[in-house]
């Protein structure tokens, strides 16, 4: 899996290098983050040690998402787009495997954030099916709960990929491409119009409510 992660990082480096200053300042699918912010976040596995993370957590009352937002903004100021691309190439094989989510979390993070950048810019990419399958399995597993997927988001729903041999969960159906499901499972409402099935209304309420 590390080779997949390395390939995703190198691909992200090429993407970031190709963007104009205006594109880098475009709002991404991550609320409150520009494309540049998301790109900088991808360097955090090797640039954010305990010496920076712990103080940020304390400042924000151990609210992980708020601390992460601050750290990402700091990185975006520190690193230019060219420096981000250089970091992603130089550290492509960095073996970041955090507790619980492990390498699956890193692979999923890279694929999802890649689309967070591309979709607002009108850029397309055909994701690698094998990697999407690994991330979909991870997202519907208990390992993703509380980090990538808030508890309760998937309850009573069955997700079915229309372009891959994959399904997960039980209940009302939500059908879509593997890429659309990847983004829906991680809370991106932009793909709701691309989904169909008896569970879409329930998912919509959970993502937009």
């Amino acid at each position: 899996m590390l080779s997949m992660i390395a390939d995703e990082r190198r691909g992200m480096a090429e993407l970031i290098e190709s963007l104009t200053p205006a594109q880098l300042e475009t709002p991404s699918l991550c609320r409150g983050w520009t494309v540049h912010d998301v790109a900088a976040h991808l360097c955090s596995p090797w640039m954010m040690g305990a010496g920076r993370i712990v103080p940020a957590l304390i400042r924000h009352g151990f609210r992980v998402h708020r601390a992460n937002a601050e750290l990402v903004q700091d990185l975006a100021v520190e690193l230019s787009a060219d420096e981000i691309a250089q970091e992603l190439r130089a550290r492509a094989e960095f073996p970041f495997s955090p507790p619980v989510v492990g390498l699956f979390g890193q692979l999923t993070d890279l694929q999802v954030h890649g689309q967070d950048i591309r979709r607002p810019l009108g850029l397309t990419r055909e994701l690698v099916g094998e990697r999407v399958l690994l991330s979909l399995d991870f997202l519907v597993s208990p390992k993703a709960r509380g980090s990538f997927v808030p508890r309760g988001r998937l309850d009573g729903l069955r997700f079915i990929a229309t372009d891959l041999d994959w399904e997960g969960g039980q209940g009302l159906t939500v059908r879509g491409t593997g890429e659309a499901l990847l983004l829906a499972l991680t809370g991106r409402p932009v793909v709701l119009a691309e989904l169909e099935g008896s569970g879409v209304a329930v998912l919509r309420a959970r993502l937009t409510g």
Side-chain angles (χ1 to χ4, degrees):
M1 187 180 298
L2 188 54
S3 63
M4 297 180 188
I5 292 170
D7 187 59
E8 290 290 332
R9 287 177 179 152
R10 293 185 182 107
M12 286 301 305
E14 291 182 10
L15 173 62
I16 298 307
E17 286 176 332
S18 73
L19 301 180
T20 66
Q23 287 176 314
L24 288 164
E25 293 309 311
T26 298
S28 74
L29 295 187
C30 290
R31 185 179 300 174
W33 287 8
T34 65
V35 165
H36 190 155
D37 293 335
V38 175
H41 163 71
L42 298 177
C43 298
S44 60
W46 54 86
M47 298 196 73
M48 291 298 182
R52 297 183 72 167
I53 294 173
V54 173
L57 285 171
I58 293 172
R59 283 195 299 275
H60 292 279
F62 291 91
R63 296 179 178 87
V64 175
H65 292 296
R66 291 186 182 181
N68 185 49
E70 176 191 312
L71 293 170
V72 166
Q73 290 175 347
D74 289 346
L75 267 185
V77 171
E78 294 173 22
L79 298 174
S80 68
D82 286 342
E83 289 170 332
I84 290 170
Q86 291 168 11
E87 284 288 334
L88 288 168
R89 279 202 180 87
R91 302 280 188 159
E93 297 184 15
F94 185 78
F96 180 61
S97 183
V100 184
V101 300
L103 293 176
F104 289 99
Q106 184 64 183
L107 178 63
T108 302
D109 206 46
L110 284 159
Q111 291 184 93
V112 171
H113 284 319
Q115 300 310 97
D116 286 339
I117 289 172
R118 291 184 182 90
R119 276 182 168 251
L121 297 176
L123 304 176
T124 60
R125 177 207 173 189
E126 186 174 342
L127 298 179
V128 180
E130 180 185 4
R131 300 174 193 176
V132 174
L133 288 171
L134 289 171
S135 289
L136 289 174
D137 281 339
F138 163 69
L139 289 170
V140 297
S141 75
K143 290 184 178 181
R145 298 292 188 277
S147 53
F148 283 78
V149 182
R151 299 184 188 282
R153 174 180 290 166
L154 312 186
D155 290 355
L157 297 175
R158 178 185 176 208
F159 297 89
I160 303 172
T162 55
D163 59 342
L164 298 169
D165 183 16
W166 182 87
E167 63 179 71
Q170 295 182 335
L172 300 175
T173 58
V174 177
R175 296 184 180 87
T177 65
E179 187 243 2
L181 294 181
L182 194 68
L183 296 181
L185 290 168
T186 52
R188 276 64 176 173
V190 69
V191 298
L192 287 168
E194 301 169 27
L195 305 175
E196 59 182 14
S198 57
V200 174
V202 174
L203 182 62
R204 181 185 302 276
R206 292 174 182 175
L207 295 187
T208 62

